[in-house]
Amino acid sequence: MSNYVAAITYGGPEALAVLDETLGDPGPGQVKIQVRAIGTNPVDYMFYSGAMGKDESKLPLRVGSEAAGVVVAVGPDAVGPSGPVSVGDEVIAYRAPGAYAQELLVPGSAVVPKPSALDWSQAAGLLLTGTTATHTLEATRVGSGDTVLVHGASGGVGVFAVQLAKLRGATVIATASARNHEFLEGLGAVAVEYGPGLIERVRAVAPDGVDAAIDLAGTDEAMDVSLELVPDKTRIATIAGFARGLAAGVRVLGMAPGADPGTHIRGPARLELVRLAEEGKLTVVVQETFPLTEAAEAIGKLMGGHTRGKIVLIP
């Protein structure tokens, strides 16, 4: 028997329960993973909060989409993006529905090699936020010589957006609370505090203007400032301000109705992120770890916002 976490009703963290299952052998094209660490993300609770519907027939609803672990069994013709998968491989699985678990069965296509430069917790937090950050930069066409404004830069996606934009040769202006400024400056960003006067503070550090903006905060301020400072609305992207973004005509990214899921960008980005992490060019920041059995507490902290990097579960 192994443990997994599922929502037994729709609601907040209190909806989560730890359940038991006996996982069978992998079928054709599948692999079985003994999970060592699990990445948590805001989208995890969106699905069971009721915000995306309350279909009672889907309960209990398994939670999570990314994990890192060791392959313990392989079905026929199990092949990942980097080639055949073997027992003993250390891997990251994404997308891996129901990742809050001690063991997982996933398609081989969901499995990429774990970078040896990362520990298990860091590996579990690499791909969802990393591929999302890649999507935001592709959507806004950020490249060498650009100045990009990143709202909510100290969160899970923001930490990668800052680093990946810097690797592209861009100047990054990162909004965050004052306590996170030194951290973001260590990643190469110019940090500014959000709140009243943000437009003036950004203009002061970017006198030649802002070419693109990425809204990871979902606030009216983030959208208002982006629209004021970026001349080309197609170079503004949001993963959080869906209604405002659609109304304003900016790039709306993610799983919400009317948004661009970016599957053709996020899938191929996995191996590039693995390569960059292996070469020491990406820092994966883990703020805190929780036991799998305390998933509700971890989600409660994630929902509170103001996290720096990732919150990770350990089976």
Side-chain angles (χ1 to χ4, degrees), residues 66 92 94 112-115 118 125-135 137 160-161 163-164 167 265-284:
E66 64 177 344
I92 307 173
Y94 174 72
V112 297
K114 170 189 168 292
L118 302 183
L126 174 65
L127 289 186
L128 188 147
T129 44
T131 58
T132 302
T134 300
H135 188 195
L137 296 172
F160 285 112
Q163 295 179 83
L164 292 169
L167 288 170
I265 295 171
R266 299 188 189 208
R270 292 176 299 166
L271 288 181
E272 175 66 5
L273 291 164
V274 166
R275 181 187 70 80
L276 291 171
E278 190 65 83
E279 294 175 358
K281 295 178 179 178
L282 278 181
T283 298
V284 183

Side-chain angles (χ1 to χ4, degrees), residues 291-302:
L292 177 62
T293 53
E294 296 178 13
E297 289 83 348
I299 288 291
K301 185 148 195 172
L302 189 66

Side-chain angles (χ1 to χ4, degrees), residues 68-87:
V70 179
V71 176
V72 293
V74 177
D77 303 317
V79 179
S82 61
V85 184
S86 302
V87 171

Side-chain angles (χ1 to χ4, degrees), residues 153-155 159 179-188 283 285 308-309:
S154 62
V159 168
R179 67 185 179 88
N180 285 315
H181 285 192
E182 184 177 353
F183 163 68
L184 288 167
E185 288 163 359
L187 297 178
T283 298
V285 178
R308 179 186 292 182

